[in-house]
Amino acid sequence: MNILEKIQKFRNKIFERKLISICIFFILTIYLIGIFAPLLATHDYNSIDLYNTQSSPSKENILGTDKLGRDIFSRVVWGIQTTVIITFTTLLTGTLLLGVSMGLISGYFRGKTDVFVMRLGEIVSSFPEIFLIILLAATIRPRIVEFIYNLEDKLNLSGLANSGIIDYFVVGIALLPLSWFGTMRLIRGQVLVVRELEYIQASQAMGTSNFRIIFFHVLPNVISPVIVSASFGIGAIALSEVVLSFFGIGVQPPKPSLGVMINDVTSRGVTSVSVLRNHPEQLLPPIIIIWILILSWNVVGDYINEKMNPR
Amino acid sequence: MFIYILRRILWTPVLLIISTFFVFFMGTVAPGDPAELKLGNKATPERIEKLRDEMGLNEPLSTQYIKYISKAIKGDFGESYTYSGKKVSTIIGPKLLVTLQLNLIASFLAILIGIPLGFYAAKNHKTKLDPLIVLSSLIIYAIPVFLIAPLLILFFSVNLNWLPASGWDGIFSYSAILPTLTVGIPGSAIYIRHMRSSTLNVINEDYVRTAYSKGLTNFQITTKHIIRNALLPILTLLGFTIAGIFSGSLIVEIIYGIPGVARLSLDAIFQRDFPILTAFVMIGSVSLIFANLIIDLAYSFIDPRIRLSEKN
């Protein structure tokens, strides 16, 4: 019985490891594709070829072309890049910058600051997520467009507004409320424990400034759970970007995005069914990429959570 | 305990005021002058100014807010910009009802599938069944709606011709089956995962072992000790489900052509009809705040441990 159990455990471990490695492999591949999109894309993502529309996969167009004759493979590759950029900017600004610093401040100073930050989080989480994101994306876009054009004039830059930076800003800011609170709560909990430790008291007694204590003594000791919360958030962020773009309020059409591609092919059920029957190569690539990406992040997030989450 | 409940109940109105003010504020900083949008082609500077006065847009923001909210409490969210002369409440009422029905049935389905399966997986923790259920729930959870909806339509309405592909004739008709499945099945995956992990936590507790050594029957232990305790953390999850009650099916509604919240709110965005959008977010967040309050209170009533820890 004992040996049998051991074998079972070993088998489970192998199964787990294999699954995790496959998922990490998928994630790395997709992100590398996004980063090296300019090298991998065989065509310009926007070049329309009306003589060659809705063609099946061939040597020239690996995944065929859509109804405007644009190369689907290149569009998927560039769409992945958009997803990668938005995921990372949101992660950096929301989870890391806002979440971590708020968590540090509220956990370290406690008292009124803590109450304030926690209440703020409660307020943010009292909105239905998707609606808040949609409302934000819809209301801030014109302001950001204005801001970018002003910036262009001041800095004498041209092409800034056309580089897609507006879309990144809009989606990034709209996703902010979604991303910071979880990390903040996690960090705060850790800081509450760490701040009572003796070495912190020692440096307080030595007269070290709060700033220095927070960044040099507290931060390094609480940073590991951030990995947990980040790994959970990435899948959700990527999906939100796709959903926003699908609705037409995220990344805007000249820029390629997986959500825009799905929206191009289908916006009503019946048409998406006919596309699925007649030209599955137009609908499936973006969807399958999203599926694999989210599944992999969920599996990896679960695994990291199990190994690292302090209970 | 009493102080906790009192504090929780007193905080709720503050939360309500802040969140509704934020939504109202977002609606007013939104691009476009409401008076101009309402007048459309007939807009002249004088007319706009006159209408702005009539609509109270020249008053301070706080006055506008108080006026808006005192009407909104009675269910009056002002007039729509695009459907001129129509009250927002008469436009969104039927749509909210459709979305509410769809999500309620779908959540019910998710719980009905998810909790028994999650419990079953935890009970068979050491067999092959457990990783199978966990992995398939992960895969199903991650399937984009963009894929599962057309696949279901392709299979059930095009190939088998059993169910209508799109449209809506009320929640108790054939047309509601596919959307309910599309929302409910991925939803059940979350319940499977949480029910499984909370059951696993409970199974290893001391009191369960004690119950076994007392010689209680398997059935007694399962129903009285394991399931009841394992269901406690599910309450929190129920809060999330309620949070999605108006917004959990946006994509599904679009794909199946259901006349619910999704189509209307997207149209409202593109036509800059912010009263409609504001009303949606406001109704959503108010119901979410109350749902969370009820769940928090229910927690402290159901779980004696929380009551005791508050006392000490």
Side-chain angles (χ1 to χ4, degrees):
Chain A
M1 191 62 201
N2 209 359
I3 298 167
L4 268 178
E5 248 174 39
K6 264 186 188 165
I7 291 173
Q8 183 71 42
K9 232 181 186 175
F10 184 68
R11 206 193 276 155
N12 279 348
K13 219 174 186 176
I14 295 275
F15 174 72
E16 206 179 40
R17 288 262 167 85
K18 226 188 215 164
L19 191 66
I20 294 296
S21 352
I22 292 171
C23 286
I24 290 177
F25 170 75
F26 276 141
I27 291 172
L28 283 180
T29 319
I30 291 176
Y31 280 77
L32 283 178
I33 290 175
I35 292 165
F36 293 110
L39 302 176
L40 288 170
T42 49
H43 292 66
D44 180 9
Y45 60 78
N46 243 349
S47 72
I48 294 170
D49 181 3
L50 292 175
Y51 290 107
N52 185 23
T53 60
Q54 311 229 19
S55 67
S56 307
S58 62
K59 250 184 198 168
E60 173 66 16
N61 305 100
I62 301 171
L63 291 173
T65 55
D66 67 3
K67 56 188 174 201
L68 289 175
R70 295 172 296 190
D71 181 50
I72 290 174
F73 175 73
S74 308
R75 286 180 69 74
V76 168
V77 164
W78 281 99
I80 292 175
Q81 187 182 54
T82 307
T83 302
V84 170
I85 292 174
I86 286 178
T87 317
F88 273 101
T89 43
T90 311
L91 202 67
L92 272 180
T93 51
T95 309
L96 295 181
L97 228 66
L98 249 166
V100 172
S101 57
M102 293 277 237
L104 281 173
I105 291 169
S106 99
Y108 186 78
F109 292 109
R110 288 171 65 178
K112 278 184 184 158
T113 334
D114 187 25
V115 172
F116 177 75
V117 175
M118 287 301 280
R119 291 289 185 244
L120 197 68
E122 230 172 284
I123 292 166
V124 172
S125 44
S126 76
F127 295 106
E129 255 169 30
I130 300 183
F131 268 133
L132 183 63
I133 294 173
I134 287 178
L135 185 68
L136 280 175
T139 48
I140 58 181
R141 173 177 291 280
R143 318 245 150 208
I144 289 178
V145 170
E146 215 173 278
F147 172 75
I148 296 284
Y149 276 115
N150 278 338
L151 199 71
E152 241 181 16
D153 286 344
K154 268 187 196 142
L155 298 175
N156 254 335
L157 283 170
S158 59
L160 196 62
N162 296 329
S163 66
I165 198 165
I166 293 173
D167 294 334
Y168 302 151
F169 259 108
V170 171
V171 178
I173 294 178
L175 292 181
L176 268 190
L178 181 96
S179 51
W180 70 276
F181 189 50
T183 317
M184 177 255 146
R185 228 175 5 192
L186 209 66
I187 290 283
R188 174 181 166 273
Q190 292 283 297
V191 175
L192 284 179
V193 175
V194 170
R195 77 188 290 280
E196 302 298 335
L197 297 179
E198 274 176 0
Y199 67 90
I200 301 289
Q201 286 177 352
S203 40
Q204 276 170 340
M206 278 159 59
T208 319
S209 69
N210 280 332
F211 179 82
R212 205 182 152 79
I213 293 178
I214 288 177
F215 279 96
F216 288 90
H217 300 297
V218 178
L219 182 59
N221 289 296
V222 297
I223 200 71
S224 56
V226 172
I227 301 169
V228 178
S229 93
S231 63
F232 267 115
I234 294 175
I237 293 172
L239 184 65
S240 306
E241 181 265 315
V242 172
V243 170
L244 276 184
S245 306
F246 172 75
F247 284 150
I249 43 181
V251 177
Q252 298 296 308
K255 265 263 148 199
S257 145
L258 300 177
V260 172
M261 287 188 69
I262 299 171
N263 191 19
D264 275 353
V265 181
T266 144
S267 37
R268 303 252 175 194
V270 189
T271 48
S272 76
V273 170
S274 68
V275 168
L276 201 61
R277 286 178 86 181
N278 304 325
H279 302 281
E281 73 277 0
Q282 290 184 19
L283 185 63
L284 290 182
I287 291 178
I288 286 173
I289 295 278
I290 300 163
W291 188 7
I292 292 176
L293 193 62
I294 291 167
L295 177 62
S296 306
W297 272 122
N298 283 350
V299 171
V300 172
D302 264 8
Y303 182 77
I304 297 176
N305 187 39
E306 220 164 82
K307 295 283 165 217
M308 289 184 59
N309 205 4
R311 258 180 255 255
Chain B
M1 171 70 178
F2 180 68
I3 292 174
Y4 169 76
I5 290 179
L6 195 69
R7 205 187 287 155
R8 192 72 185 73
I9 290 175
L10 284 181
W11 164 240
T12 305
V14 183
L15 194 61
L16 281 171
I17 290 171
I18 297 175
S19 67
T20 48
F21 183 77
F22 176 77
V23 177
F24 177 76
F25 178 72
M26 288 309 291
T28 54
V29 298
D33 182 0
E36 208 179 318
L37 282 168
K38 211 170 176 183
L39 283 170
N41 294 331
K42 293 174 276 180
T44 59
E46 301 85 51
R47 275 190 165 172
I48 290 174
E49 200 46 44
K50 199 171 159 242
L51 192 63
R52 279 186 69 89
D53 262 342
E54 277 171 23
M55 291 168 79
L57 289 169
N58 293 330
E59 291 170 45
L61 201 60
S62 52
T63 327
Q64 285 185 42
Y65 168 72
I66 292 170
K67 271 189 183 165
Y68 180 87
I69 221 65
S70 52
K71 273 188 184 167
I73 291 172
K74 294 175 205 145
D76 179 6
F77 291 93
E79 277 180 16
S80 156
Y81 295 163
T82 43
Y83 307 92
S84 59
K86 264 195 163 180
K87 289 262 180 220
V88 170
S89 44
T90 56
I91 300 173
I92 66 172
K95 314 273 179 179
L96 274 177
L97 197 67
V98 170
T99 304
L100 190 71
Q101 287 174 333
L102 174 60
N103 277 304
L104 274 181
I105 300 273
S107 311
F108 188 66
L109 181 74
I111 293 171
L112 212 65
I113 300 174
I115 288 183
L117 256 183
F119 180 74
Y120 187 69
K123 266 290 194 182
N124 298 294
H125 182 49
K126 291 203 170 123
T127 64
K128 272 183 190 163
L129 266 173
D130 181 41
L132 189 74
I133 293 177
V134 171
L135 191 65
S136 48
S137 79
L138 271 172
I139 291 174
I140 288 171
Y141 179 57
I143 296 186
V145 183
F146 311 112
L147 181 63
I148 197 166
L151 277 182
L152 281 176
I153 297 175
L154 194 62
F155 188 68
F156 285 107
S157 29
V158 179
N159 286 358
L160 294 176
N161 207 3
W162 284 355
L163 299 164
S166 68
W168 184 259
D169 316 307
I171 192 71
F172 295 112
S173 63
Y174 288 119
S175 60
I177 294 176
L178 286 184
T180 310
L181 287 178
T182 320
V183 183
I185 289 178
S188 73
I190 312 172
Y191 280 95
I192 291 178
R193 288 176 59 191
H194 280 77
M195 188 62 195
R196 173 180 170 272
S197 69
S198 76
T199 309
L200 279 181
N201 280 341
V202 173
I203 281 179
N204 295 325
E205 289 277 353
D206 286 341
Y207 58 78
V208 173
R209 203 166 15 147
T210 313
Y212 273 112
S213 53
K214 272 200 308 192
L216 292 183
T217 60
N218 214 337
F219 178 76
Q220 274 175 318
I221 297 170
T222 310
T223 50
K224 281 199 175 157
H225 296 271
I226 298 177
I227 291 187
R228 277 175 78 172
N229 281 297
L231 279 176
L232 270 178
I234 301 294
L235 262 184
T236 319
L237 206 58
L238 209 59
F240 287 111
T241 304
I242 295 172
I245 211 90
F246 290 126
S247 56
S249 57
L250 292 185
I251 308 170
V252 177
E253 283 174 25
I254 299 272
I255 294 180
Y256 285 102
I258 296 170
V261 167
R263 191 75 266 165
L264 185 64
S265 55
L266 284 181
D267 287 346
I269 290 172
F270 295 120
Q271 291 158 351
R272 298 190 170 171
D273 199 345
F274 284 99
I276 287 183
L277 213 53
T278 315
F280 273 143
V281 186
M282 223 166 249
I283 293 171
S285 63
V286 167
S287 45
L288 184 54
I289 289 171
F290 277 114
N292 279 337
L293 175 74
I294 292 168
I295 284 171
D296 271 9
L297 295 183
Y299 241 124
S300 50
F301 278 113
I302 294 171
D303 194 348
R305 281 171 299 187
I306 295 175
R307 244 178 294 167
L308 289 175
S309 71
E310 287 290 331
K311 228 175 225 170
N312 299 331

